[in-house]
Amino acid sequence: MNYWLLKTEPEDYSFADLKQAGMDVWDGVRNRQAQKNIRAMSPGDQAFIYHTGNEKAIVGVAEIVSIPFSDPTDDQFHAVNVRAQHALPRPVTLKEIKEAPQFEKWALVRQPRLSVMPVSAKHWQQVIELSKE
């Protein structure tokens, strides 16, 4: 199993929207590196949902439930189906992540504009623990 982080503008589509839908298509990603990450996803992988904009925080967990397929908004790109799992006990902010030395090499800190990125198993667990504090 792999771990991922998926960024979204909460004003456009929030974790609450995904939770209400239950399952939805994660589409509209156009960045080539983010697309490479989507193509590497497999059913059963886990993903953090990160709210951009004013929030800048990891707010929930979702599961990848499909293999990558042609993005319905543009078949030159790929998308996946995701299913909401649960909100984190509390959001973990980008500020907290940037202040923690263990995250300094994570793409969330180094490549802030990348909308789909891998998360190491170690970072995954560290974020989960931070959300419980």
Side-chain angles (χ1 to χ4, degrees):
M1 172 176 36
N2 292 308
Y3 299 100
W4 306 96
L5 182 135
L6 305 172
K7 290 184 178 180
T8 184
E9 290 282 343
E11 299 82 23
D12 295 333
Y13 194 84
S14 68
F15 181 71
D17 294 328
L18 178 59
K19 193 89 164 130
Q20 184 175 4
M23 184 178 78
D24 213 341
V25 177
W26 204 267
D27 60 6
V29 175
R30 299 296 181 256
N31 175 280
R32 295 291 177 190
Q33 188 174 358
Q35 274 291 303
K36 180 180 175 187
N37 292 333
I38 286 178
R39 289 190 305 274
M41 292 178 175
S42 298
D45 286 356
Q46 299 291 296
F48 284 135
I49 304 299
Y50 177 93
H51 282 177
T52 61
N54 292 333
E55 288 184 53
K56 292 185 179 71
I58 300 169
V59 298
V61 174
E63 178 182 5
I64 308 303
V65 293
S66 73
I67 61 171
F69 55 88
S70 290
D71 186 322
T73 65
D74 185 334
D75 63 8
Q76 294 182 42
F77 298 96
H78 289 83
V80 289
N81 287 327
V82 297
R83 177 183 304 126
Q85 291 200 318
H86 58 85
L88 292 180
R90 73 165 188 85
V92 177
T93 67
L94 179 59
K95 183 179 186 292
E96 288 177 87
I97 291 167
K98 283 184 171 183
E99 289 174 351
Q102 68 265 31
F103 296 116
E104 69 186 3
K105 294 186 181 192
W106 188 10
L108 184 60
V109 173
R110 292 183 303 107
Q111 296 175 282
R113 296 185 54 90
L114 187 60
S115 63
V116 177
M117 66 187 65
V119 178
S120 70
K122 185 175 182 178
H123 285 161
W124 182 273
Q125 194 56 46
Q126 290 169 329
V127 169
I128 296 294
E129 292 304 315
L130 277 174
S131 77
K132 294 176 182 176
E133 292 179 2

